[in-house]
Amino acid sequence: MKIHLPQSQAKKVMVISAVFSVMAACQQGIPAGSYQLQGEIAGMKGDKVFIQTRTDSGLTFTDSALLEQEHFTFRGSVDEPHSITLFFRNSSGVMEPLYSSFYLENADIQLKGDIRNRRDISISGAREEAIRKKIAAATAYPPRYGHLRNQFYQAEIAGKELPKDSISGWRAEIVALESQHTRQIKTVVNEHMGSYVALHTILDNAGIFTAEELKKMSAQFSQLQKSPSYQKLLSTLEVTSTAAVGQPLTGFTLPDSLGQSHTLSSMKGRWLLVEFWASWCGPCRKSIPALKAAVAQHNELSIVGVSIDEDTLKWKQALHQEQMPWINLVAPSADWAWKNYLITAIPANFLLDSKRNIVAKNISPSEIVHIIETSSNGHQHQEPHH
């Protein structure tokens, strides 16, 4: 289980094509570079409908519209298409979800359906949303992957030791499914190149692409060059090669809870796990006991925790509560973690060898132990390059 971090592309935007937008706006009767979002939902009773958007400070309600006789209308503009969720306040004053996660863009968008059957509410007029659905369908992990990941997660939070044969077999399956997923993402992105959804999908999965692939793809988003997401793609080119398996991890200098600075190069241990986490991340904290057990089991393993907490007081409180027997540092921001290491969700980690090359990424404590023990038994471990 992971908690996804706010991405700047989720709240910033521009017009897809100036000429197309002007023509469409004239035909649809809305100003160029703006949107009109109209809803007609049978049986919906209440007073207001709200737009919820993910920002750098988390999920926030950014706009509201009156609900009148089962109808509502939002008008405004966005710089860049982004994902929103609609809520409404019912007649009892309770907030309810109406429509989850669709792309808002400068267009004439229509929602129609029945509140008693929300899954069948239809949306029309949103080009990027149609592409998002296609990409989401094509890149969904099979249920088996979630089942395997959950096996590791549940065992570790319960403090159970998994059979070594199970770990080995499950790990091989997970790697194969992740490789398949990587191929699916690359295929579907190429099919929808030039769209904002494809651009955002690349950014959310930047770690699976080589620098050469990203450079080649960036040329196919020329019409989006002024968008923040395109500029972010260009900055990703500098990071991709240093966040890939087999490459040395980019160094850092970060402070601990006493303000003393530590560098990556100063860390000891034949194996080093760089663990990104935060005090507010439930899955991160639930994995700490299993990480403690891994360190106790293998003296050659060292861990350095890198928190993306903005509230350092809460971070220090978590350090006191968890009593982690390894160095803990705090990063300047979640954006720093993305810009330097392409971290889009936590918990996230890098397992490094004695030369501080990346051996594996984003693996569970059981998998960490498996890799170390396999290597110690004379088998050379190498994660696949996606």
Side-chain angles (χ1 to χ4, degrees):
M1 183 180 296
K2 287 184 177 288
I3 295 179
H4 288 270
L5 306 176
Q7 295 294 312
S8 59
Q9 73 264 22
K11 64 185 182 69
K12 302 175 182 175
V13 235
M14 64 171 290
V15 181
I16 295 173
S17 166
V19 174
F20 177 83
S21 296
V22 170
M23 291 175 62
C26 291
Q27 293 169 357
Q28 296 164 351
I30 60 173
S34 64
Y35 67 80
Q36 178 172 270
L37 171 60
Q38 294 180 303
E40 182 181 343
I41 311 298
M44 186 165 71
K45 299 185 184 303
D47 65 344
K48 277 190 175 183
V49 180
F50 300 84
I51 289 178
Q52 185 186 67
T53 305
R54 184 178 292 280
T55 68
D56 289 338
S57 57
L59 292 170
T60 305
F61 289 112
T62 55
D63 200 1
S64 64
L66 291 176
L67 175 59
E68 298 177 307
Q69 297 181 344
E70 303 177 346
H71 290 71
F72 61 87
T73 301
F74 286 94
R75 293 185 178 88
S77 63
V78 290
D79 299 319
E80 181 176 308
H82 64 276
S83 182
I84 67 168
T85 295
L86 292 180
F87 285 80
F88 75 100
R89 189 162 56 204
N90 65 26
S91 53
S92 299
V94 177
M95 295 289 280
E96 290 188 40
L98 171 60
Y99 197 95
S100 177
S101 192
F102 72 96
Y103 259 55
L104 179 65
E105 60 189 281
N106 291 325
D108 191 2
I109 303 171
Q110 306 286 329
L111 264 71
K112 292 187 178 182
D114 193 305
I115 196 64
R116 289 152 291 200
N117 198 3
R118 296 175 209 190
R119 290 186 178 182
D120 291 337
I121 292 176
S122 65
I123 182 169
S124 61
R127 171 181 174 272
E128 292 285 335
E129 172 60 12
I131 295 173
R132 184 199 68 79
K133 287 181 177 178
K134 291 178 182 178
I135 290 181
T139 59
Y141 270 114
R144 178 64 177 168
Y145 182 81
H147 172 74
L148 291 171
R149 278 295 182 199
N150 192 53
Q151 291 293 314
F152 280 114
Y153 180 71
Q154 293 299 331
E156 284 155 2
I157 64 175
K160 294 180 180 179
E161 185 173 346
L162 292 168
K164 287 182 171 55
D165 288 345
S166 294
I167 295 174
S168 180
W170 292 349
R171 179 65 191 151
E173 239 186 301
I174 285 173
V175 169
L177 289 171
E178 288 178 343
S179 295
Q180 176 185 324
H181 189 243
T182 292
R183 292 191 295 272
Q184 290 171 329
I185 290 174
K186 290 182 177 181
T187 298
V188 75
V189 160
N190 280 320
E191 290 173 354
H192 298 284
M193 200 66 72
S195 69
Y196 275 104
V197 181
L199 177 55
H200 295 167
T201 302
I202 292 169
L203 290 171
D204 287 341
N205 299 276
I208 71 172
F209 299 98
T210 65
E212 188 59 35
E213 285 174 325
L214 288 175
K215 185 176 180 181
K216 184 178 179 180
M217 288 188 296
S218 66
Q220 300 185 56
F221 290 95
S222 58
Q223 75 274 31
L224 310 183
Q225 285 183 2
K226 294 182 180 179
S227 73
S229 291
Y230 182 81
Q231 297 306 313
K232 196 167 187 178
L233 176 61
L234 295 182
S235 67
T236 302
L237 293 172
E238 302 173 8
V239 184
T240 302
S241 59
T242 59
V245 170
Q247 298 299 314
L249 187 68
T250 301
F252 55 71
T253 301
L254 296 171
D256 61 22
S257 59
L258 299 177
Q260 181 178 348
S261 293
H262 299 259
T263 62
L264 177 63
S265 59
S266 68
M267 302 297 166
K268 308 297 182 183
R270 178 185 171 192
W271 297 91
L272 177 65
L273 182 74
V274 182
E275 182 78 11
F276 289 84
W277 71 295
S279 64
W280 43 262
C281 170
C284 301
R285 297 187 66 165
K286 286 181 178 178
S287 70
I288 290 173
L291 290 174
K292 288 181 179 178
V295 170
Q297 190 177 351
H298 293 279
N299 293 331
E300 65 269 42
L301 173 64
S302 297
I303 298 178
V304 55
V306 179
S307 168
I308 59 167
D309 275 287
E310 292 184 0
D311 188 331
T312 56
L313 178 59
K314 289 183 178 179
W315 168 59
K316 291 176 182 179
Q317 289 173 342
L319 295 182
H320 177 73
Q321 292 164 355
E322 300 292 352
Q323 293 294 304
M324 292 170 278
W326 52 77
I327 294 172
N328 275 282
L329 311 175
V330 64
S333 65
D335 194 50
W336 176 91
W338 193 94
K339 287 179 178 178
N340 289 278
Y341 302 100
L342 302 180
I343 302 298
T344 59
I346 54 174
N349 57 43
F350 296 93
L351 181 63
L352 312 179
D353 62 16
S354 58
K355 295 181 180 178
R356 298 306 179 243
N357 292 327
I358 302 169
V359 175
K361 300 191 294 186
N362 302 328
I363 53 177
S364 69
S366 296
E367 294 169 285
I368 293 165
V369 169
H370 173 69
I371 291 172
I372 292 173
E373 291 181 349
T374 301
S375 298
S376 298
N377 291 333
H379 299 92
Q380 185 66 33
H381 185 89
Q382 182 67 56
E383 290 286 291
H385 295 255
H386 298 315

